[in-house]
Amino acid sequence: MDIEKFWGIIKTDFEYQSPVRTCLLAKNFPGWATFTYYLKLLQRIIIDSKAADIGEYDYKRWAIGSLDILKNIESSGGSFSISGLQGVSMHGGPFVYISNHMSMIDTFILPSITTAFTKATFVLKDELLRYPVFGKILKAINPISVTRTNPREDLKTVFNRGCDLIANGYSVIIFPQTTRSTIFDATSFNSLGVKLARRAMVPVVPVALKTDFQRNGRIVKDVGMVNPGKTLYFKFGDPIPIEEKPQVVHRKVVQFISNNLSEWGGKVVREPS
């Protein structure tokens, strides 16, 4: 399956479900599945980093690499349930996508989906741009980088860069949690994405995801064991008009994520009623 076929599926069916297959090797030998997953992932990152280094890395190439990682996860015993894209497809974008953040996989897989509709980029920590090899890829996709040490300056950066990019047809993906976690804590989920959407006058799209196929590592957070047999969930909500009150929009986003994670068996800390 190439990227054009994948885009065709999610634009017409509004979902993607991994084909049913039994990966006995991955299931019976999770250590081997973990090794092969990271080996293929490293190969993909090196290929894309070299392309970015010589100025040949664009959004289609980003999506192709993202889809390659999706197929890598499937061959390592994982399966995908991607759904809820009818509203995104009908509206066309650009949007501000607001998502919970569970693992490194989130940033690897979302580009293959979101770039089917518009160019897209992330709000991310500026330290990620300094990562060897991987940082070159991130720099090539026009990210909005924040320091997380000066909230006022970060807010200005997100507003100025975000509005600029959206005006040029980009969607912006933002993870309002303070850090990646398998637990969704609604009380620490800020409203920065809603504020950006209001400033740029575009709809908000809530995204609920559950990607604990790749666990966070004990020593290196980005490198943990994989869990063959896990389903990875990516569910998109209908675009929410920004004309609604910011508190209402934020509440709808939090409820969408909380309800879907609970349905998938995830852990949720809800806001006090």
Side-chain angles (χ1 to χ4, degrees), residues 59 121-124 129 138-145 161 165:
Y59 285 85
T121 194
F122 287 100
V123 176
L124 47 77
L129 302 179
L138 293 177
K139 288 176 184 176
I141 54 109
N142 284 323
I144 303 168
S145 61
R161 286 272 295 135
L165 288 164

Side-chain angles (χ1 to χ4, degrees), residues 228-248:
K230 277 274 189 180
T231 299
L232 296 87
Y233 294 93
F234 288 75
K235 186 171 182 179
F236 293 73
D238 288 335
I240 303 172
I242 209 60
E243 289 77 15
E244 297 190 38
K245 292 182 179 179
Q247 300 92 328
V248 173

Side-chain angles (χ1 to χ4, degrees), residues 27-269:
K27 184 177 180 181
N28 293 324
F29 301 98
W32 174 253
T34 299
F35 172 75
T36 57
Y37 165 70
Y38 282 111
L39 179 62
K40 291 177 183 177
L41 179 61
L42 182 60
Q43 289 172 339
R44 182 75 251 175
I45 291 172
I46 290 172
I47 289 169
D48 287 347
S49 179
K50 287 180 179 177
D53 205 27
I54 60 175
E56 292 184 357
Y57 194 77
D58 59 15
Y59 285 85
K60 188 165 185 180
R61 188 142 188 174
W62 189 28
I64 290 168
S66 176
L67 180 61
D68 186 58
I69 295 170
L70 183 152
K71 291 187 287 187
N72 177 15
I73 291 170
E74 289 180 332
S75 68
S76 301
S79 61
F80 283 86
S81 174
I82 300 169
S83 62
L85 287 161
Q86 184 168 1
V88 172
S89 184
M90 295 303 180
H91 186 283
F95 307 105
V96 174
Y97 295 98
I98 304 178
S99 174
N100 63 304
H101 198 10
M102 190 168 284
S103 76
M104 185 171 64
I105 288 174
D106 310 345
T107 52
F108 288 149
I109 300 301
L110 281 170
S112 65
I113 306 168
T114 56
T115 52
F117 308 100
T118 67
K119 293 180 289 185
T121 194
F122 287 100
V123 176
L124 47 77
K125 294 182 293 185
D126 67 347
E127 66 189 59
L128 295 176
L129 302 179
R130 297 191 291 273
Y131 273 29
V133 186
F134 188 50
K136 294 177 183 178
I137 299 171
L138 293 177
K139 288 176 184 176
I141 54 109
N142 284 323
I144 303 168
S145 61
V146 294
T147 63
R148 290 194 175 174
T149 58
N150 189 328
R152 182 172 292 183
E153 284 303 311
D154 285 347
L155 184 64
K156 285 170 61 177
T157 299
V158 171
F159 280 173
N160 293 338
R161 286 272 295 135
C163 288
D164 237 12
L165 288 164
I166 289 168
N168 283 283
Y170 287 74
S171 290
V172 174
I173 305 166
I174 185 167
F175 303 114
Q177 291 171 226
T178 53
T179 187
R180 295 194 304 260
S181 176
T182 55
I183 300 171
F184 177 63
D185 185 353
T187 62
S188 65
F189 199 75
N190 68 55
S191 59
L192 180 58
V194 174
K195 291 173 182 173
L196 170 60
R198 281 186 66 81
R199 181 68 66 97
M201 296 303 294
V202 295
V204 161
V205 173
V207 183
L209 51 81
K210 186 171 183 284
T211 57
D212 49 352
F213 166 84
Q214 178 186 323
R215 303 166 189 161
N216 290 325
R218 293 181 180 179
I219 300 173
V220 180
K221 191 172 185 178
D222 291 336
V223 183
M225 290 285 289
V226 304
N227 195 345
K230 277 274 189 180
T231 299
L232 296 87
Y233 294 93
F234 288 75
K235 186 171 182 179
F236 293 73
D238 288 335
I240 303 172
I242 209 60
E243 289 77 15
E244 297 190 38
K245 292 182 179 179
Q247 300 92 328
V248 173
V249 176
H250 181 71
R251 195 179 312 121
K252 285 184 176 181
V253 171
V254 168
Q255 286 176 345
F256 179 84
I257 295 171
S258 298
N259 292 345
N260 281 288
L261 274 174
S262 295
E263 185 178 322
W264 300 328
K267 297 176 181 179
V268 175
V269 177

